[in-house]
Amino acid sequence: MDQNVVTTAQEIRDMSIRGAGRIARAGAGAIGKFAESYSGNDMAQFRKDLDEAVKILLDSRPTAVSLWNGVHASIKGVEDIDKVDDARELLTRNSNEFIAESNEAVKTIARIGAKRIEDGDTIMTHCNSSVAISVIAQAHRQGKDIKVYATESRPWRQGILTVNDLAKEGIDTTLIIDSAVRLMMKKMDKVFVGADTITSHGALINKIGTSQLALAAHEARVQFYVCSETYKFSPLTLSGDMVKIEERDMSEVVRPGEIPDSVKVCNPVFDVTPAEYISGIISEVGLISPGSVYDVMQRKFGTELLKE
């Protein structure tokens, strides 16, 4: 198997590559490099090798629909190709186009989202979302005086990455522990988070603890915004598939010998935030309500997917 595919999948699995957008671009890039380096001329063998590459990549993070969409965008149309050279050219072009569109989407979302931030706002964010950070940074660059509270985001503590990103922008930033969310929410004006997956009915699947922010924001009447490219919308949920919530090894939570062997550890990576707790989804197609996700997905994915 192509070594770049194997390496990319391992880096996604072990969290060297983090964040839904980065994962999607890495998956698309791996498919592009697979195509570029492929040396055979047998189309049947090419299809077999491509199927294996796709499986290896998708198995690395089963919850992240961004990865699914990035990989499938890269292989779109290959079923209609009967020559390896043409297939290689198609996959390379698809991969490059997806990566370029993904990066452009972040810029568009930053411009749209920054309009929802007012001078003097205090904002909370969770985990390490490049698109949510882009929105906040854009507002700061516009001269708005803002403060940001970022959660630690255990067990991988992605919040450390976030506060470093925000501090580099010169933003007034405070790191809080995850269990301080409800206490601190009364000081917030808005919450901005990223997305791993958004379902057809507008529910958000994101880093574990996101639903805690949403619930606390709902209780405190604080606006809760999701920053998400449309390729994080799950076409699989249109046809009834459930989103699998990934669980990771207990070694991320406790050290060897720290607790008795009889004690179990539950380490889910994501949780589900109901649509009714979401004030709006900021995407590259505009600010939409959770109830509008189905229509966007039907236009983007629906007809083709539901024929299958």
Side-chain angles (χ1 to χ4, degrees), residues 65-117:
V65 76
S66 61
L67 176 60
W68 193 97
N69 282 332
V71 168
H72 279 83
S74 299
I75 65 173
K76 185 175 182 180
V78 73
E79 66 276 5
D80 299 323
I81 302 293
D82 55 12
K83 293 182 180 179
V84 172
D85 284 347
D86 292 341
R88 292 174 64 243
E89 182 181 348
L90 176 69
L91 266 58
T92 302
R93 183 171 63 249
N94 284 349
S95 169
N96 290 336
E97 286 178 356
F98 178 85
I99 292 170
E101 290 172 4
S102 171
N103 286 321
E104 188 59 35
V106 173
K107 297 176 184 176
T108 302
I109 292 168
R111 290 194 297 269
I112 296 170
K115 295 178 182 179
R116 308 303 296 181
I117 298 176

Side-chain angles (χ1 to χ4, degrees), residues 56-297:
I56 288 171
L57 288 167
L58 297 186
D59 285 350
S60 65
R61 290 303 294 272
T63 302
V65 76
S66 61
L67 176 60
W68 193 97
N69 282 332
V71 168
H72 279 83
S74 299
I75 65 173
K76 185 175 182 180
V78 73
E79 66 276 5
D80 299 323
I81 302 293
D82 55 12
K83 293 182 180 179
V84 172
D85 284 347
D86 292 341
R88 292 174 64 243
E89 182 181 348
L90 176 69
L91 266 58
T92 302
R93 183 171 63 249
N94 284 349
S95 169
N96 290 336
E97 286 178 356
F98 178 85
I99 292 170
E101 290 172 4
S102 171
N103 286 321
E104 188 59 35
V106 173
K107 297 176 184 176
T108 302
I109 292 168
R111 290 194 297 269
I112 296 170
K115 295 178 182 179
R116 308 303 296 181
I117 298 176
E118 299 173 278
D119 189 50
D121 273 352
T122 300
I123 296 163
M124 184 177 288
T125 191
H126 183 57
C127 197
N128 181 241
S129 165
S130 58
V131 67
I133 290 170
S134 295
V135 168
I136 296 167
Q138 180 73 13
H140 173 73
R141 291 170 193 155
Q142 291 172 352
K144 296 174 183 176
D145 180 20
I146 58 177
K147 296 179 180 178
V148 180
Y149 285 73
T151 59
E152 183 184 18
S153 306
R154 289 274 301 159
W156 273 82
R157 301 178 73 216
Q158 290 103 321
I160 300 297
L161 299 174
T162 295
V163 296
N164 276 288
D165 290 340
L166 295 171
K168 287 175 184 176
E169 292 285 342
I171 297 171
D172 185 338
T173 305
T174 301
L175 179 71
I176 62 171
I177 59 174
D178 294 343
S179 50
V181 164
R182 187 166 180 261
L183 175 67
M184 303 305 297
M185 189 61 72
K186 65 185 72 174
K187 297 183 178 181
M188 302 301 128
D189 296 295
K190 298 177 179 78
V191 177
F192 288 85
V193 299
D196 270 270
T197 298
I198 295 178
T199 71
S200 58
H201 57 281
L204 167 67
I205 290 84
N206 197 46
K207 168 72 176 182
I208 190 73
T210 301
S211 62
Q212 171 180 266
L213 270 72
L215 182 60
H218 180 76
E219 176 192 44
R221 294 181 173 83
V222 171
Q223 297 171 52
F224 181 94
Y225 290 104
V226 178
C227 306
S228 174
E229 306 92 324
T230 55
Y231 65 76
K232 295 175 186 174
F233 294 6
S234 174
L236 301 175
T237 60
L238 280 171
S239 56
D241 287 359
M242 302 290 287
V243 177
K244 179 181 178 181
I245 300 296
E246 179 187 353
E247 289 195 28
R248 291 177 64 88
D249 192 79
M250 65 182 290
S251 62
E252 296 180 351
V253 180
V254 294
R255 293 185 292 272
E258 196 170 28
I259 60 174
D261 292 341
S262 59
V263 177
K264 303 177 184 67
V265 174
C266 179
N267 183 23
V269 184
F270 306 102
D271 61 20
V272 182
T273 299
E276 55 264 32
Y277 292 158
I278 299 172
S279 303
I281 298 171
I282 306 165
S283 76
E284 73 273 21
V285 299
L287 176 62
I288 64 174
S289 69
S292 299
V293 170
Y294 179 84
D295 292 334
V296 172
M297 290 176 67

